[in-house]
Amino acid sequence: MTPKRIILDCDPGHDDAVAIMLALGSPAIELLGISTVGGNQTLEKVTRNAQSVLVMCGREDVPVYPGASHPLVHQVEVAPQIHGESGLDGVELPEPTVPVRDKHGVDFIIDTLMSEPAGTVTLVATGPLTNVALAVRKEPRIVERAQQVVVMGGAYGQGNWTASAEFNIWVDPEAAKIVFAQEWDTVMVGLDLTHQALVTAAEEEKAREIGSPLANFFIGLMNYFRKSYADNQGFTDPPVHDPCTVAYLIDPTVVETVAAPVDVETQGALTMGRTVVDMRQPAPAGCRSRVATKLDRERFWGLVLDAIRTLSEAQK
Ligand code: BDR
Ligand code: CA
């Protein structure tokens, strides 16, 4: 099996960290590099977090490219109430000994998509879509070169940051509008799906059995996430959103999707940042966006725990 080659554009973030672990620990994925974007915390903090997660994974070879610090139009908004002051509270972060590369994240996305054979690289975005939108504007030809774009963001049901909007889309709605308006294959992995990816005591127990520094790091992150989500969002077990994108690429049967047009509200006084998804079926002919609906949570957590196990073994 040839691994799927991906760029991960992210804002780590507890669940982004798990997405990195899943991408690195799965033989079905080749992670070409990480671009970071201001979101859960400032660009500086989330970049440092990406570096530290790579150190924990024993993968200091993966290149990290800092991207946009500010949304296209809106003011910066970070999420300390969910992710803490560091963006990865709840664990001790190792020194970020992975060097950041001397290239902007937007240029990394463009250069990779333009230099690799067309249709061979998938863009996975688990933060605000600022970098992806800037890349499209700077080099529109990336649209026909990306294999697909898999986004954690939005919802066809209830939002989480407002009643209407999910956090990643809320932070940069104009960027999201640009991304979903392009003629490329997109998959929106929104809250409707990710709220099925709850981490429970059972998964933490399985991680404990692995017994490695990385597994303990994962447990520390999940415990912090549990408390944040209990205090702020009324969840008993927290939803681990971002790795659902990677799980979809590893095995599309883990995440059911349906074709549906997606647009983003950038004007509404009450609905700013809402992903407006036309779920009426059948979708219009030629619709290139799909929306995630149903998660096989057992298999999802099986993939995540296998990845943590694989990365842990490799570090022994
Ligand atoms: C999304 O927002 C962030 O807090 C998470 O990392 C995830 O990408 C969920 O709304
Ligand atoms: Ca994220």
Side-chain angles (χ1 to χ4, degrees):
M1 173 190 52
T2 330
K4 268 222 169 313
R5 309 172 75 222
I6 71 167
I7 294 170
L8 180 58
D9 186 71
C10 60
D11 61 337
H14 295 67
D15 51 335
D16 301 81
V18 181
I20 294 172
M21 293 175 203
L22 180 55
L24 291 176
S26 167
I29 300 289
E30 182 186 347
L31 180 58
L32 301 178
I34 291 176
S35 48
T36 55
V37 61
N40 286 325
Q41 262 300 349
T42 61
L43 179 70
E44 198 185 6
K45 290 181 181 178
V46 300
T47 303
R48 186 207 191 278
N49 293 345
Q51 295 169 278
S52 293
V53 172
L54 290 174
V55 173
M56 285 308 302
C57 291
R59 289 296 307 274
E60 308 187 13
D61 57 301
V62 176
V64 177
Y65 301 88
S69 56
H70 286 63
L72 298 186
V73 177
H74 289 242
Q75 297 297 313
V76 168
E77 184 164 338
V78 293
Q81 55 275 62
I82 300 292
H83 298 275
E85 275 311 313
S86 72
L88 270 188
D89 276 14
V91 289
E92 200 172 318
L93 292 171
E95 276 307 302
T97 46
V98 178
V100 293
R101 303 296 164 123
D102 189 19
K103 183 188 271 199
H104 195 280
V106 169
D107 292 316
F108 165 63
I109 293 172
I110 293 171
D111 292 351
T112 306
L113 289 172
M114 295 308 291
S115 63
E116 296 296 331
T120 63
V121 176
T122 290
L123 201 41
V124 179
T126 62
L129 289 162
T130 320
N131 285 340
V132 184
L134 286 170
V136 164
R137 284 295 186 250
K138 190 170 179 194
E139 179 44 278
R141 287 176 299 171
I142 65 167
V143 171
E144 62 204 37
R145 299 189 68 89
Q147 187 169 29
Q148 56 182 328
V149 183
V150 183
V151 173
M152 189 285 128
Y156 51 87
Q158 183 88 3
N160 62 359
W161 213 247
T162 70
S164 294
E166 179 278 331
F167 177 76
N168 289 338
I169 309 295
W170 168 262
V171 170
D172 200 339
E174 287 77 14
K177 194 173 185 73
I178 290 170
V179 170
F180 283 108
Q182 303 308 307
E183 289 291 318
W184 52 10
D185 293 337
T186 57
V187 181
M188 181 186 109
V189 180
L191 299 175
D192 326 281
L193 185 288
T194 65
H195 282 181
Q196 299 166 49
L198 306 175
V199 65
T200 68
E203 284 77 43
E204 290 189 27
E205 189 46 41
K206 286 181 191 153
R208 202 160 286 115
E209 284 162 17
I210 298 173
S212 66
L214 182 63
N216 293 338
F217 185 75
F218 167 79
I219 294 166
L221 288 174
M222 294 303 98
N223 282 336
Y224 186 90
F225 218 33
R226 168 164 293 105
K227 181 155 177 14
S228 299
Y229 262 93
D231 294 349
N232 292 283
Q233 300 258 336
F235 282 74
T236 308
D237 294 316
V240 187
H241 310 273
D242 293 339
C244 296
T245 54
V246 180
Y248 170 76
L249 290 170
I250 294 171
D251 182 352
T253 67
V254 171
V255 175
E256 281 179 29
T257 62
V258 61
V262 178
D263 202 343
V264 178
E265 179 57 76
T266 56
Q267 305 284 325
L270 298 174
T271 52
M272 172 66 82
R274 176 161 193 77
T275 44
V276 179
V277 184
D278 190 349
M279 292 294 272
R280 293 172 295 172
Q281 296 294 311
C287 172
R288 295 185 68 173
S289 48
R290 301 191 70 83
V291 175
T293 54
K294 193 159 181 286
L295 180 73
D296 184 333
R297 77 171 298 284
E298 290 304 315
R299 286 168 62 219
F300 167 72
W301 281 113
L303 291 173
V304 173
L305 290 161
D306 281 351
I308 293 173
R309 206 170 288 116
T310 301
L311 290 169
S312 302
E313 286 296 320
Q315 290 187 81
K316 272 188 180 159

